[in-house]
Amino acid sequence: MRVLAGVVTASLLAVAGGLVGPGTASASVPEPGRQAGGLAAAARNVELRAAIPETEGAVSINFLQYRHRDVMFLSGTFGLKTYDVTDADRPRLLDHLTKPELALPGDDPEQRFWENEDVTVDPNRKLVFLARERSAFGRQPGNERPTGVYFVSAADPERLELLSFQPMGTGHITTCVNDCSYLWTTGYDGTPSTDPDTYRRSGKVFVTDIRDPREPVTLATYVDLNRNQGETHMTHDVQVDAAGIAWVAGTGGTRGYHTRGWHRDPLSGQVREATAYDPIPYAGGAAPKLDMPTSFSHNSFRPVGRTLKDGPKPSREHPAGSLLLHTEEAFGSATCEDQGRFVISSLEGSTDGESWRATPERPFHLKTVGVWSPDDQEGTLPGPDTFCSAHYFDVHQRIVAYSWYEQGTRFLDITDPAHPIQVAYWRPEGAVSFAPYWHRGRVFVADLARGVEVVKLTTAAYEAQATHTNVGCSKTCSAAGSAAPSKRRSRIAILDSLVDHTNDSACSAWPRPWGSTRSW
C-alpha cells in the first residue's frame, strides 16, 4: 500500500525514538551524548541532526533535485522510499514503493527486498534503478532465483511508478554509464556455468541499453573479463569519475575504462572508438597483497576534474588524477589491523594495459600511497568478535566519510594521501554502518540496523583537519576512547544482518571472525 505524501518523519526536535538532539553528540569521549535507552554514543567532533527510525534496514541513498525541492531516494530491505530533505534536518516522507509492489511471481512479500547496494538515479529523466539480488524475498538455493534491475519512474517523487523489471544474470549493484544511456550491472552471476566456483564464473559486467527505459535490452556482451591477474573473478561495484572513466571494483582490484570517445587501445595499439559495450582499458589494478590481502576491492573513487578538490591535495609526486581511493571489504580481522582497510593507490605505471596483461605467474600491482583502518583508533570497539571492514565511502573537501560496519562512520582527512588521519567519528550503539553520503553540509548515514541518521561535523573537526591533528590513538588507546558501551545491542541481531549480507552478496571468500569461511 502506498504511503500518503506529507507524513512527517522523526525530526531532531522531536527526538524520535529517544535519539540525541543537536549538539549533544559533539562532546568528547567518553560522554559525547545519549541515545536510545540512555546509552552513550561513541562520537567525536560530530553532532546528530536528525534520525529516521522507520528506515531500519537502510542500504543505500541517492538524491535528485526538483526545482526548489531536494529529494532523497532510500533503498533498503523495505523497498524504496522518497523523502523531502530540502530541510536536511527534518526529512519528510513522500512515498514508499513497497515490497508487495516489487514482488515477482513466487516471491514472499513478507521477506526482505535485497540488496541494491548502491542505488542509481538518472537526474535528467528522473529514473531510479534498483538491482535485485538472488536472495531477494527469501528465495532459496535450488529454486528459481530471479536477478536483474527494476526501472522506476520518479517524475513525481510523491508517486513512484514501477515501469519494468529487466531480468539478467546478476543484480547486486547497477550503475549508469554514458549519461544513463546504459547500465553496468555487477555481482554474483547466477547464469548456468560448468565452473564449480561461483565466484570465478561471476567475473563479468552485464551491459544493458536503457535508452528506452520501458524496453531495456541486456546485450550479449560482457565487460571486465579476466580481472584477477588474468583470471576470471568477481566484479562488484562501478563508479564513474568526473572525467567519464568507469571504474570497476572487485577481486583483483579496481580497473578503469573509457566508455566513449576515441582513444588508443593499449592492448591493440590502435586508436578506436570506446563504447559502453566495448570499452577501452584506461588504468588501474590490484593493491599489493601486503595492503589488501584478499585483493577484493569493494568500491572506489578517483578525484579528477570538478572533484579534484575533494581528494588529496595534488603534488609533484602525486599530480591531479593520479590517485585512486579504494576499499577492501574483508572480515578476517576484528580490528581491521591487517584486513578490511582503506587504501590510496597511485595509478602511475598502470596506463599501458598492465593489469589486463597480468597473469598469475606475472602479476601486476599498483603502488600504495597510504593506508588507514580503525585499528587502535579512538572510538573503536575491541575484538575479537567485532565486525570491522571498510565498506562504502564518500568524499568532500578532502574529508572521507567512511562506513566500517560495527565500527561506525569515520571521518578521515586525506589532504596528505600518504598520511590519512581521523578527525571525527560517529559510532552509536548497535551501528551497522553501510554507507555515508555528503549532502548540503550534512552526512546521511545508511545504517542497516539503525536506519538513516543525519550528522554534521563540528568546527573542531575542521580545525583538526587544518592542523592535521589526529583524533585517535597509537597503541595507547584508553578504555574511555575504545571501550564498548555499557549495554550493547544484541550481537545475535547484528550477526544475523551481516551473515545474510555476506552470504547473499557477490564477493570473495575469506575467514570470518565467528568461524564460518563462507563470505562474499
Side-chain angles (χ1 to χ4, degrees), residues 14 25-26 70 86 106 113 136 144-145 151 164 176 187 213 215 226 269 285 342 359 375 412 450:
S26 59
D70 193 9
T86 308
F113 173 67
E144 183 186 6
R145 308 180 83 187
F151 291 70
S164 63
C176 279
E215 295 291 338
N226 306 318
F342 169 48
T359 66
D375 179 53
L412 313 179
R450 298 172 57 84

Side-chain angles (χ1 to χ4, degrees), residues 16-347:
L19 293 169
V20 298
T24 59
S26 59
S28 61
V29 173
E31 293 293 335
R34 291 285 168 182
Q35 56 179 60
L39 298 171
R44 183 77 172 266
N45 299 342
V46 176
E47 62 181 30
L48 179 65
R49 304 295 298 181
I52 315 177
E54 72 269 20
T55 57
E56 181 176 339
V59 171
S60 60
I61 294 172
N62 215 322
F63 301 90
L64 284 177
Q65 191 71 32
Y66 296 77
R67 294 186 179 179
H68 302 299
R69 173 185 275 182
D70 193 9
V71 176
M72 175 178 76
F73 291 82
L74 172 64
S75 173
T77 58
F78 42 75
L80 177 68
K81 293 186 177 184
T82 53
Y83 287 84
D84 187 326
V85 291
T86 308
D87 182 346
D89 295 342
R90 292 172 176 80
R92 182 171 63 89
L93 182 64
L94 298 176
D95 198 12
H96 180 191
L97 190 61
T98 65
K99 293 187 294 181
E101 291 174 285
L102 294 171
L104 300 176
D107 285 344
D108 180 357
E110 295 300 316
Q111 302 294 319
R112 66 182 183 180
F113 173 67
W114 199 245
E115 176 183 23
N116 194 47
E117 194 172 85
D118 189 15
V119 61
T120 295
V121 298
D122 180 344
N124 297 316
R125 295 182 291 179
K126 297 296 188 287
L127 297 173
V128 185
F129 307 99
L130 304 179
R132 174 188 166 116
E133 186 66 84
R134 67 193 192 279
S135 59
F137 297 106
R139 295 281 189 156
Q140 297 297 317
N143 299 311
E144 183 186 6
R145 308 180 83 187
T147 57
V149 177
Y150 297 90
F151 291 70
V152 180
S153 171
D156 180 354
E158 297 187 37
R159 189 169 183 80
L160 299 172
E161 179 187 0
L162 181 59
L163 300 179
S164 63
F165 174 75
Q166 174 67 11
M168 59 183 73
T170 191
H172 188 58
I173 296 172
T174 194
T175 304
C176 279
V177 297
N178 292 4
D179 299 323
C180 275
S181 295
Y182 292 86
L183 289 178
W184 279 13
T185 307
T186 55
Y188 173 87
D189 176 10
T191 57
S193 171
T194 57
D195 193 326
D197 187 334
T198 59
Y199 298 105
R200 283 180 51 83
R201 71 172 181 249
S202 299
K204 53 182 171 285
V205 176
F206 287 77
V207 182
T208 304
D209 184 335
I210 59 170
R211 286 173 289 185
D212 181 353
R214 293 185 182 274
E215 295 291 338
V217 178
T218 298
L219 307 178
T221 184
Y222 306 113
V223 170
D224 201 38
L225 304 174
N226 306 318
R227 66 174 350 270
N228 186 24
Q229 309 298 353
E231 296 186 338
T232 300
H233 220 296
M234 182 63 58
T235 58
H236 182 261
D237 180 84
V238 179
Q239 299 289 331
V240 180
D241 69 23
I245 304 297
W247 295 92
V248 185
T251 304
T254 303
R255 307 198 300 185
Y257 292 88
H258 294 287
T259 61
R260 59 172 53 171
W262 290 80
H263 307 274
R264 176 184 174 273
D265 187 332
L267 301 183
S268 68
Q270 303 298 311
V271 174
R272 65 176 181 86
E273 186 177 13
T275 66
Y277 48 86
D278 188 16
I280 295 175
Y282 170 68
K289 289 282 190 178
L290 179 65
D291 304 311
M292 196 177 284
T294 67
S295 290
F296 179 73
S297 179
H298 180 275
N299 61 284
S300 64
F301 170 68
R302 182 177 75 126
V304 67
R306 69 177 184 278
T307 64
L308 188 61
K309 65 183 182 300
D310 295 322
K313 189 175 181 179
S315 64
R316 179 176 298 179
E317 184 179 6
H318 304 297
S322 68
L323 294 179
L324 178 71
L325 286 57
H326 50 161
T327 290
E328 180 189 31
E329 186 184 26
F331 299 106
S333 169
T335 64
C336 287
E337 180 180 6
D338 55 5
Q339 281 190 20
R341 297 174 296 185
F342 169 48
V343 178
I344 300 177
S345 299
S346 171
L347 292 169

Side-chain angles (χ1 to χ4, degrees), residues 460-505:
Y462 296 104
E463 291 174 347
Q465 181 187 30
T467 59
H468 203 64
T469 301
N470 185 51
V471 175
C473 309
S474 180
K475 303 302 179 185
T476 58
C477 275
S478 65
S482 296
S486 57
K487 178 184 177 184
R488 298 187 56 199
R489 178 175 176 263
S490 168
R491 171 155 302 279
I492 292 177
I494 296 173
L495 289 179
D496 283 347
S497 297
L498 287 180
V499 167
D500 287 343
H501 173 61
T502 54
N503 278 337
D504 290 347
S505 303

